[in-house]
Amino acid sequence: MSQNSDELAKTLQEISEKSGVKIEKFRGGQIYGWLVKGVYSFDEMLNVPKSIKNVLDEYCFLALPQIEKKLVSKIDGTVKYLFRLHDGEFVESVFMRYEHGNTICVSTQVGCRMGCTFCASTLTGLTRNLYPSEILGQVIAAMRDMGERISNIVMMGIGEPLDNYDNVMKFLELVNDEKGVNIGHRHISLSTCGLCDKIRQLADEKKQITLSLSLHASDAETRKKLMPVARKYDLDELIESCRYYINKTGRRISFEYAMIAGENDSHAHAERLGNLLSGMICHVNLIPLNDVKERSYTKSSKKAIEDFVKILEKKHITATVRRKLGSDINASCGQLRAENESK
């Protein structure tokens, strides 16, 4: 990828024409192989001639993020990365081990402009979108560092994926390439706060990814208080776009619901949520709120969460409570970057 944003999609042929150095087609396969393995310098491409490496060094840059900080949980082995990008910006990723394979949570933007009032990722607003290679680079860098294959991806880190739509779609194409990382779309989840027009656009793509919708409230007023995006897309429009997605793709939606004491965790909220989602192919993922020192919210009590689950189950809505991984390293997204930015 070139450092000039107008040249991000340059092919080897175009680089050849610009530099005057012929780059054969088979060299492209060699270079691609090294990029997938993860290299921080063109000099690491051992079977590529020096003359071509010099051209790549002049006209391109490597988007593989550098590990600025790495925290490893003593409780469950979860690893949290603070990655430094080529321009000095920072994003976070989290590597998690499950019985079904290793999972990584990746960021899609530097910062976020959605303004959710309980989230650390949006504290400093949006700086810029990530390029497709920078999203993929988080996966490759983590695999290189851990020496283990990653088989599942969740786009739930810093940023709103659908606010960086084109680059995220290109990332999905790259990560699915059988000559590359080769992670199937059914092993990828995309989380959105509810950009209705983009949800419909994604539905029309008919990709077999899992859509996770950050709902966090069962009535319009509470959602507007917690999530400014609800002032643009009302709750009825949001639910309608979710039904459209399910009908178009045949895939169920996972509704994310942060349990916040005194805000959205009452019996009445649970009853409304059950009614709201009635008849949908869906699953509710209840998330005990992660403490963010810049915010005043606190997580719901264990009893409040248990009661919430029981009410949803009575309404035939499947609900589970997310197991918190990496609790000793603040593995929720945005906190490490915010701490680094404040320094």
Side-chain angles (χ1 to χ4, degrees), residues 50-333:
K50 181 70 174 174
S51 59
I52 293 178
K53 286 190 279 193
N54 288 339
V55 170
L56 295 175
D57 217 15
E58 181 177 356
Y59 292 97
C60 307
F61 77 96
L62 291 168
L64 195 66
Q66 301 272 354
I67 299 173
E68 179 74 10
K69 196 169 185 178
K70 176 182 176 181
L71 303 178
V72 182
S73 171
K74 295 178 181 179
I75 299 173
D76 51 43
T78 295
V79 179
K80 184 168 188 177
Y81 293 102
L82 180 67
F83 284 124
R84 179 191 289 271
L85 304 177
H86 69 92
D87 59 355
E89 295 292 347
F90 296 92
V91 293
E92 296 176 21
S93 301
V94 181
F95 174 94
M96 299 162 283
R97 290 188 180 90
Y98 292 96
E99 289 183 4
H100 58 269
N102 295 326
T103 296
I104 187 168
C105 178
V106 298
S107 297
T108 55
Q109 294 178 308
V110 180
C112 181
R113 63 175 174 174
M114 296 297 111
C116 298
T117 60
F118 51 85
C119 181
S121 296
T122 193
L123 287 170
T124 56
L126 176 66
T127 300
R128 69 171 176 86
N129 288 327
L130 293 187
Y131 300 130
S133 58
E134 291 175 316
I135 305 172
L136 181 62
Q138 297 166 65
V139 182
I140 294 172
M143 286 198 293
R144 170 176 165 142
D145 179 63
M146 296 300 298
E148 299 179 39
R149 174 165 171 76
I150 289 172
S151 54
N152 304 282
I153 298 172
V154 290
M155 285 181 271
M156 296 182 182
I158 296 172
E160 163 56 60
L162 297 187
D163 192 37
N164 186 17
Y165 190 89
D166 291 342
N167 286 343
V168 165
M169 291 303 105
K170 183 63 177 178
F171 159 73
L172 289 173
E173 179 185 334
L174 292 173
V175 79
N176 192 222
D177 189 340
E178 62 181 16
K179 294 181 181 179
V181 178
N182 193 23
I183 297 177
H185 287 170
R186 287 181 177 270
H187 296 276
I188 299 175
S189 296
L190 182 153
S191 178
T192 177
C193 67
L195 308 186
C196 296
D197 52 339
K198 296 299 183 181
I199 291 173
R200 288 176 174 272
Q201 188 176 348
L202 181 63
D204 292 337
E205 305 265 4
K206 295 185 179 179
K207 295 186 182 297
Q208 291 298 294
I209 62 173
T210 297
L211 181 65
S212 294
L213 194 287
S214 294
L215 189 58
H216 307 312
S218 58
D219 65 278
E221 290 309 310
T222 302
R223 196 163 195 271
K224 287 176 184 177
K225 178 183 177 182
L226 297 175
M227 307 176 72
V229 69
R231 298 166 196 161
K232 180 175 181 180
Y233 303 102
D234 66 37
L235 191 57
D236 290 339
E237 182 183 3
L238 177 60
I239 295 301
E240 184 56 38
S241 67
C242 289
R243 293 186 188 279
Y244 181 84
Y245 182 89
I246 293 170
N247 290 335
K248 272 282 185 176
T249 65
R251 305 278 292 169
R252 78 172 184 175
I253 290 179
S254 177
F255 287 96
E256 309 291 310
Y257 196 100
M259 295 295 289
I260 308 173
E263 297 290 340
N264 65 353
D265 62 347
S266 70
H267 288 194
H269 284 108
E271 292 281 352
R272 278 197 301 267
L273 182 60
N275 295 335
L276 189 68
L277 304 182
S278 178
M280 295 180 68
I281 307 173
C282 67
H283 169 266
V284 175
N285 192 12
L286 300 176
I287 308 166
L289 184 73
N290 290 302
D291 294 329
V292 177
K293 65 181 180 179
E294 294 87 354
R295 307 297 197 189
S296 59
Y297 296 122
T298 57
K299 66 181 177 182
S300 303
S301 68
K302 184 178 179 180
K303 185 178 187 307
I305 296 174
E306 289 174 349
D307 289 349
F308 210 94
V309 171
K310 290 176 182 176
I311 292 170
L312 290 178
E313 288 178 342
K314 283 181 180 178
K315 291 183 172 291
H316 308 290
I317 303 292
T318 304
T320 55
V321 181
R322 179 185 290 177
R323 181 165 62 99
K324 186 174 182 180
L325 297 177
S327 58
D328 57 329
I329 58 172
N330 289 330
S332 58
C333 66

Side-chain angles (χ1 to χ4, degrees), residues 17-37:
E17 292 171 355
K18 188 168 183 178
S19 65
V21 177
K22 181 175 175 57
I23 303 178
E24 298 90 343
K25 187 176 180 180
F26 80 93
R27 293 292 182 197
Q30 292 177 325
I31 293 167
Y32 186 67
W34 284 108
L35 294 176
V36 171
K37 289 180 183 177

